């Protein structure tokens, strides 16, 4: 149905060439000039932080964010701009970009929260809001930074787009085609729905995982506890090794939905606490059995559709 | 220092030949007759439930728990009895065994909780309590049952023993030698300390993981949420696929320590909730950064000592 080559463009500008931006660049460059991105430019807070991306051949050139002339040149004639920095930077980046933005350039982002990105984009872009297509690739690894970038990171992964009323259909389609070219599956959602879903299945588990490590650290016998922690702890806390800056921003940006989920979770815990205190084995077993069935079914459905990998989001 | 062959014995009787009991049987049988267990007998609630273990060659013979004559024969002259059933069965099993117990037989267990096992053993064995050495191999897999049993499940894993004042040193040493023969590292702890440590690093994470799946199941958009759950959810909830019966028993048996940990955890969550609500990024980042450092150091130390595997406890 979709002409994959339709996404082809001359110039992709990435703000934040880490794991996410770097993997997109790698994926598109692997497709070659006829069917990918001819030129990939990175913009970073300082030119030196793009040096590694240049060294690895992930990008063609780099510009420093605080250099007006370089930024103007980078953005001139850009087909697509991808924002792939921690989400608190979305607003400031869009404000910085706005004065240099071509009318035909499409901006999209890779942030884990979408309502805040839409609000920031409306504030920064005003009447040009139709140029911004909110997005969120559901992929990641524990490792961060451009060294961790993989050309196949998005293969079989979901990418959520949250098209705005102001987006022209062909604008949304160009972003969708770009992501499909990486092997991703593109799905559309409203920003509020996105934020509620990911507060539940991603943001809350990260908070819970960080909290468990924090609790152990605060206990008097932390070293002993860590020395006996095994496979269950390992998996439960793997996401506690994620970027503190990224997750700080996500928690703040999506705090309304996250607080709803946290409160609902605390209510479940309170119910389990009551059952544990009352030694109510039947109540506990009912919850555990239901969870096991759901978790097992989820795993089986997933095994059909997605390759096992170390996606961490 | 220790003569590994010292653990060699003629007859090992396992109550509950699933993953844990079956893996011990496999490990000891692989060592051969001169340096392992000559005969392994399984006792199960019904003879038929041992059929698979017989078929797999994990055991030599089976006895039904409710058959007095078979049980008497199985226990006659046994060197070691291992209890490897869900922990609520420890007391009833010991009461069932007591009338047939030889004075030289050593009993040990593999339960995830130890204070309750000691209390049950004191009640069931009375003056013969010195024959019981409480134990807990820290190994597991998501899969359960004898089909999942592996000869190398315990290689490099910790086995905790909680020796009692009434245990003769050579009694404890025989159990320790048996576990060392499987490749495990034996460490001694007091039962209360064991229960506190594992409430923190194992029992609580299991409850938290079951609770997250339960929360999603209870939400109106559960199917949508599951459809977007990715790698973080996968790892966080892997232990929610664990045996409901086993974890029901653990939660009830270790409820005092578990409630302490659950309350401490809830307090950490409440602190994080306050920071999220106040959009206090600095407070969140401080916790997340501390957790990340601790989790990363834990992983690095562990990588030195233990092979990566799917241990789930």
């Amino acid at each position: 149905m979709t002409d994959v080559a339709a996404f082809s463009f001359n110039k992709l500008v990435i703000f934040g060439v880490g794991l996410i931006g770097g993997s997109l660049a790698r994926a598109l460059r692997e497709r070659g000039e006829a069917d990918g991105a001819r030129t990939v430019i990175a913009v970073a807070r300082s030119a030196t932080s793009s040096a590694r991306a240049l060294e690895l051949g992930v990008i063609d050139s780099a510009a420093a964010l605080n250099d007006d002339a370089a930024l103007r040149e980078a953005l001139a004639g850009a087909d697509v701009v991808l924002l792939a920095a921690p989400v608190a930077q979305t607003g400031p980046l869009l404000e910085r970009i706005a004065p240099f933005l071509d009318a035909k350039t499409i901006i999209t982002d890779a942030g884990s929260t979408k309502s805040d990105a839409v609000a920031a984009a409306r504030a920064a872009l005003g009447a040009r809001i139709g140029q911004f297509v909110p997005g969120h690739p559901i992929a990641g690894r524990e490792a961060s930074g451009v060294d961790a970038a993989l050309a196949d990171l998005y293969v079989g992964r979901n990418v959520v787009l949250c098209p705005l009323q102001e987006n022209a259909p062909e604008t949304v389609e160009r972003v969708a085609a770009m992501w499909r070219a990486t092997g991703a599956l593109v799905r559309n959602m409203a920003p509020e729905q996105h934020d509620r879903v990911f507060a539940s299945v991603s943001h809350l588990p990260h908070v819970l995982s960080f909290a468990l490590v924090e609790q152990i650290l605060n206990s008097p016998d932390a070293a002993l506890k860590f020395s006996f922690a095994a496979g269950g702890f390992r998996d439960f806390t793997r996401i506690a090794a994620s970027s503190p800056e990224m997750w700080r921003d996500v928690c703040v940006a999506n705090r309304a939905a996250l607080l709803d989920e946290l409160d609902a979770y605390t209510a479940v815990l309170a119910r389990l606490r009551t059952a544990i205190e009352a030694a109510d084995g039947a109540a506990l077993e009912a919850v555990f059995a239901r969870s096991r069935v759901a978790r097992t079914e989820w795993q089986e459905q997933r095994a059909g559709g997605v390759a096992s990998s170390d996606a961490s989001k």
Side-chain angles (χ1 to χ4, degrees), chain A:
Chain A
M1 186 179 128
T2 306
D3 179 8
V4 171
F7 90 93
S8 178
F9 38 67
N10 287 314
K11 198 171 179 182
L12 168 67
V13 184
I14 299 175
F15 287 72
V17 184
L19 169 66
I20 296 299
S23 293
L24 176 68
R26 280 199 182 280
L28 296 184
R29 289 165 78 90
E30 276 208 352
R31 298 185 65 92
E33 289 201 359
D35 184 29
R38 233 172 273 266
T39 306
V40 180
I41 302 176
V43 180
R45 279 182 269 191
S46 71
T48 51
S49 65
S50 308
R52 183 64 183 153
L54 275 169
E55 197 175 298
L56 291 168
V58 172
I59 57 171
D60 298 290
S61 62
L65 184 62
N66 61 3
D67 180 338
D68 273 15
L71 189 58
R72 181 187 304 275
E73 190 187 326
L75 289 168
D79 296 285
V80 173
V81 167
L82 174 76
L83 307 183
V87 294
Q89 294 171 41
T90 303
L93 284 175
L94 287 169
E95 283 162 20
R96 179 79 182 121
I97 289 167
F100 309 106
L101 188 63
D102 276 11
K104 291 200 172 168
T105 300
I106 299 169
I107 310 179
T108 188
D109 78 320
S112 300
T113 56
K114 297 272 65 77
S115 300
D116 66 307
V118 172
R122 288 194 187 283
L125 300 178
R128 291 179 293 174
I129 185 64
Q131 290 178 249
F132 179 69
V133 181
H136 177 200
I138 317 304
R141 308 177 64 196
E142 285 149 76
S144 54
V146 72
D147 282 283
L150 302 170
D152 64 355
L153 184 69
Y154 301 114
V155 175
R157 301 288 165 199
N158 287 311
V159 171
V160 177
L161 297 184
C162 300
L164 304 176
Q165 285 188 318
E166 293 87 346
N167 291 146
E170 57 271 25
T171 301
V172 177
E173 176 49 30
R174 262 173 82 76
V175 176
M178 174 182 84
W179 283 113
R180 280 196 297 266
T182 68
L185 311 166
V186 175
R187 297 170 69 177
N188 286 358
M189 296 174 87
E192 300 71 28
Q193 187 180 44
H194 167 282
D195 288 355
R196 202 170 59 241
V197 166
F198 287 92
S200 171
V201 301
S202 173
H203 310 169
L204 177 62
H206 276 80
V207 170
L208 298 177
S209 179
F210 282 124
L212 184 75
V213 179
E214 169 77 357
Q215 179 196 1
I216 297 174
L217 279 172
N218 288 347
S219 71
D221 45 1
L224 184 70
K225 285 174 175 170
F226 282 124
S227 80
F228 280 105
F233 173 85
R234 177 197 61 209
D235 291 346
F236 186 92
T237 60
R238 190 177 59 77
I239 47 182
S242 304
S243 160
E245 186 185 13
M246 170 182 165
W247 288 99
R248 171 201 70 192
D249 283 4
V250 166
C251 290
V252 170
N254 199 25
R255 61 187 179 278
L258 179 54
L259 288 175
D260 284 347
E261 296 299 327
L262 185 53
D263 291 345
Y265 184 78
T266 306
V268 173
L269 278 192
R271 265 203 295 132
L272 290 173
R273 191 195 189 288
T274 301
I276 293 167
E277 193 165 32
D280 185 348
L284 293 171
E285 189 175 4
V287 171
F288 297 173
R290 217 165 28 232
S291 293
R292 181 195 217 186
V293 168
R295 176 57 173 71
T296 304
E297 285 176 359
W298 176 83
Q299 180 82 24
E300 284 162 2
Q301 284 171 11
R302 181 179 161 86
V306 176
S308 76
S309 98
D310 56 353
S312 73
K313 273 197 187 167

